[in-house]
Amino acid sequence: MFFKKCAKIGEKPIGNKGREFLEFSAFAAQICAMLLQKIIRSCFGCLAVLPLVLYGQNQPVPVADSTHTDVFLEELLKQHPLYFDSILAKKQEYNVQVIYTKIDRGANGIAGLKHYYFNVNPASYFNPAASVKLPLAILTMQKLAELKSNGVDKSTTMLTEKAYSGQTAVLNDPTSSNGKPSVAQYLKRMLLVNDEEAASRLYELLGQLYINQQLKEKGYVASQITERPGANLTEDENRHTNPVKFYAPGNKLIHEQAARFNTAPFTVQPNDWKSKSRLSLEEMHSILISLIFPNKVTSAQRFLISDEDRKYILKYMSQWPTESSNPPYIDQPEIYYPAFSKYLLVGLGKDSVSPGIRIFNAAGEADGSMVDIAYIVDFDKKIEFFLSAVVDTRVDDYKAVSLPFMNHLGEVIYELELKREKKIVPDLSEVKFEYDGR
């Protein structure tokens, strides 16, 4: 039964004796869907850049090299020279990119979006680091929906075995209340504190091919995830993913997924980084919008997850680590302080955050790069906006440059929103949650 389900283009199930490897060629057809960014934004209010993607070709597809800057956002940054002058003087060298989305609600409560860009270029490579958790989390929920008929859900015990070089077996999870690994616990760990081991287990569950096929099918063609987060493995080792088994209570095996090997070529070529994970800031911004406001992207771009699973992701994206007793981050405030891995607006502070503020974000830092994709809400002052930014200094002391920029950028946009008159006060109850530590 498994082998029928695992028959995917470019992927082989491996490691089961007596069965031949399944091989499939890449798509033979060419999907021609070149849409101008301005048409997409004006018609659909979404941000995805949709260059031509060729399937069934061995050569990777280059990402379109084009920079987009709006005068409004550029002038806003120039109004604060103390915060931004030194870093904006090196905007190309540091690959500084910013996207701000203003939200205005209509009388029916539906959000209208207006996007502003500074130096945004999908061809400019930066290390996405732990920010890959956003698409990984959403795709994991979509994968579970596909396994629902087998009795698998996010709380089902999930055991990871090993079958290839560089792989790790995981048979227990001391952070969970019952000591057993599960998708639910991996998602909490990944979303709350950027736990790289948890992210790697979800990468292995999904498989490299599934991740990147789904991103392309949803129109996110400038992004790819090709590595276990934080793991120092070869390209070949990252193409191989572990066997995974799901068990119902009573140690009953209900679903088995064999080890897999992705034979498909990578379809995005970011200069000399073709085997590396990359995420376009614009596409990540759009993915977050699709999670917060599913109706603001085209139906083709929506991920197939339930509203319950969507809210599970949102809850743990926005919960402070100090509110978590399971995993027990509440006991380690010196390490996992409230604003841990939230760089925009609150990144310079390690104390408590204003009680009305919640930040739904995916952030990461590595190799001199710092990125944060966020939906920021103040329930008390009825403020909401999207803000995404990356700074890639590629130097050892990058935090001394990038973190103040991120913090002050969030402050400037927050103050702008605080003063901005809104015809309709937003109802933010849709994203208000009861958190574990409350």
Side-chain angles (χ1 to χ4, degrees), residues 354 356-357 376-384 414 428:
S354 173
I357 291 176
I376 298 175
V377 172
D378 188 327
F379 292 102
D380 294 338
K381 297 186 169 58
K382 304 300 181 183
I383 290 173
E384 61 173 339
Y414 179 87
L428 302 174

Side-chain angles (χ1 to χ4, degrees), residues 133-146 202 205-207 210-215 218 225 303-305 313:
K133 70 184 182 181
L134 176 58
L136 285 181
I138 299 172
L139 287 172
T140 296
M141 288 303 199
Q142 180 174 285
K143 179 75 172 179
L144 288 182
E146 295 168 7
L202 299 180
L205 169 64
L206 294 169
Y210 180 87
I211 293 168
N212 293 296
Q213 275 189 339
Q214 289 300 311
L215 289 175
K218 298 293 185 290
I225 300 175
F303 295 91
L304 303 178
I305 64 174
I313 295 172

Side-chain angles (χ1 to χ4, degrees), residues 287-319:
I287 290 172
L288 181 57
I289 288 174
S290 77
L291 186 66
I292 303 293
F293 301 124
N295 64 335
K296 297 308 295 183
V297 298
T298 63
S299 58
Q301 285 184 293
R302 290 179 204 138
F303 295 91
L304 303 178
I305 64 174
S306 68
D307 193 57
E308 176 188 345
D309 288 342
R310 183 180 73 90
K311 288 181 177 178
Y312 188 90
I313 295 172
L314 291 175
K315 175 179 177 177
Y316 290 104
M317 282 180 78
S318 58
Q319 180 169 303

Side-chain angles (χ1 to χ4, degrees), residues 46-185:
C46 64
L47 300 168
V49 180
L50 299 176
L52 185 65
V53 183
L54 303 179
Y55 291 95
Q57 306 288 331
N58 288 327
Q59 70 270 25
V61 177
V63 178
D65 190 349
S66 59
T67 301
H68 187 188
T69 294
D70 287 304
V71 174
F72 169 81
L73 192 50
E74 185 173 29
E75 291 301 315
L76 180 65
L77 297 177
K78 286 180 179 178
Q79 290 172 21
H80 302 273
L82 185 63
Y83 291 159
F84 306 129
D85 261 13
S86 60
I87 198 167
L88 295 184
K90 297 183 177 181
K91 65 180 182 181
Q92 299 304 130
E93 180 184 346
Y94 287 173
N95 190 18
V96 180
Q97 301 184 53
V98 179
I99 305 173
Y100 157 53
T101 296
K102 181 171 63 176
I103 306 171
D104 283 303
R105 301 279 183 153
N108 55 5
I110 295 177
L113 308 179
K114 174 65 176 176
H115 313 296
Y116 300 94
Y117 305 82
F118 177 78
N119 203 42
V120 174
N121 187 346
S124 296
Y125 178 79
F126 60 88
N127 188 334
S131 67
V132 300
K133 70 184 182 181
L134 176 58
L136 285 181
I138 299 172
L139 287 172
T140 296
M141 288 303 199
Q142 180 174 285
K143 179 75 172 179
L144 288 182
E146 295 168 7
L147 298 177
K148 187 176 181 179
S149 62
N150 294 340
V152 175
D153 62 30
K154 60 181 173 287
S155 299
T156 305
T157 298
M158 174 181 133
L159 302 187
T160 303
E161 300 178 344
K162 59 181 180 179
Y164 198 74
S165 169
Q167 295 185 356
T168 302
V170 181
L171 306 179
N172 59 74
D173 184 351
T175 74
S176 69
S177 56
N178 64 3
K180 297 177 180 179
S182 68
V183 165
Q185 195 72 356

Side-chain angles (χ1 to χ4, degrees), residues 185-384:
Q185 195 72 356
Y186 285 141
L187 283 169
K188 284 185 187 179
R189 291 165 54 187
M190 182 178 71
L191 294 170
L192 283 166
V193 298
N194 290 348
D195 188 307
E196 291 176 339
E197 181 197 2
S200 291
R201 300 296 82 79
L202 299 180
Y203 171 96
E204 292 157 359
L205 169 64
L206 294 169
Q208 192 185 77
L209 181 70
Y210 180 87
I211 293 168
N212 293 296
Q213 275 189 339
Q214 289 300 311
L215 289 175
K216 301 300 176 291
E217 287 178 12
K218 298 293 185 290
Y220 303 112
V221 298
S223 299
Q224 65 182 18
I225 300 175
T226 59
E227 307 162 283
R228 292 168 176 82
N232 187 23
L233 300 179
T234 66
E235 178 183 335
D236 176 64
E237 288 170 333
N238 278 313
R239 285 180 173 274
H240 285 81
T241 47
N242 310 40
V244 177
K245 294 179 179 178
F246 287 93
Y247 289 87
N251 205 32
K252 179 185 177 183
L253 178 65
I254 57 174
H255 180 72
E256 181 175 4
Q257 177 174 288
R260 293 177 173 182
F261 175 54
N262 178 24
T263 63
F266 299 132
T267 58
V268 175
Q269 183 175 349
N271 302 322
D272 297 326
W273 305 78
K274 75 174 184 179
S275 66
K276 297 291 184 180
S277 293
R278 67 170 288 133
L279 297 174
S280 154
L281 188 73
E282 192 168 17
E283 291 185 351
M284 285 289 283
H285 196 82
S286 181
I287 290 172
L288 181 57
I289 288 174
S290 77
L291 186 66
I292 303 293
F293 301 124
N295 64 335
K296 297 308 295 183
V297 298
T298 63
S299 58
Q301 285 184 293
R302 290 179 204 138
F303 295 91
L304 303 178
I305 64 174
S306 68
D307 193 57
E308 176 188 345
D309 288 342
R310 183 180 73 90
K311 288 181 177 178
Y312 188 90
I313 295 172
L314 291 175
K315 175 179 177 177
Y316 290 104
M317 282 180 78
S318 58
Q319 180 169 303
W320 311 122
T322 47
E323 293 173 326
S324 174
S325 56
N326 176 28
Y329 302 130
I330 196 170
D331 299 328
Q332 306 171 70
E334 69 286 351
I335 301 174
Y336 301 119
Y337 46 92
F340 183 86
S341 195
K342 296 189 185 295
Y343 311 136
L344 293 164
L345 184 62
V346 297
L348 290 176
K350 291 193 174 183
D351 298 324
S352 60
V353 181
S354 173
I357 291 176
R358 286 289 165 176
I359 301 176
F360 302 78
N361 78 316
E365 55 180 281
D367 301 331
S369 173
M370 180 176 284
V371 59
D372 199 351
I373 297 95
Y375 169 63
I376 298 175
V377 172
D378 188 327
F379 292 102
D380 294 338
K381 297 186 169 58
K382 304 300 181 183
I383 290 173
E384 61 173 339

Side-chain angles (χ1 to χ4, degrees), residues 368-431:
S369 173
M370 180 176 284
V371 59
D372 199 351
I373 297 95
Y375 169 63
I376 298 175
V377 172
D378 188 327
F379 292 102
D380 294 338
K381 297 186 169 58
K382 304 300 181 183
I383 290 173
E384 61 173 339
F385 60 92
F386 290 96
L387 184 62
S388 298
V390 61
V391 181
D392 188 6
T393 64
R394 300 192 184 180
V395 295
D396 292 338
D397 63 343
Y398 66 95
K399 287 186 180 180
V401 175
S402 304
L403 192 55
F405 174 83
M406 292 281 191
N407 190 108
H408 295 317
L409 176 64
E411 290 175 341
V412 166
I413 299 298
Y414 179 87
E415 288 299 320
L416 178 72
E417 286 287 334
L418 194 59
K419 297 172 184 175
R420 190 169 70 85
E421 184 178 348
K422 300 180 180 67
K423 293 181 179 179
I424 304 294
V425 176
D427 177 4
L428 302 174
S429 59
E430 173 73 11
V431 291

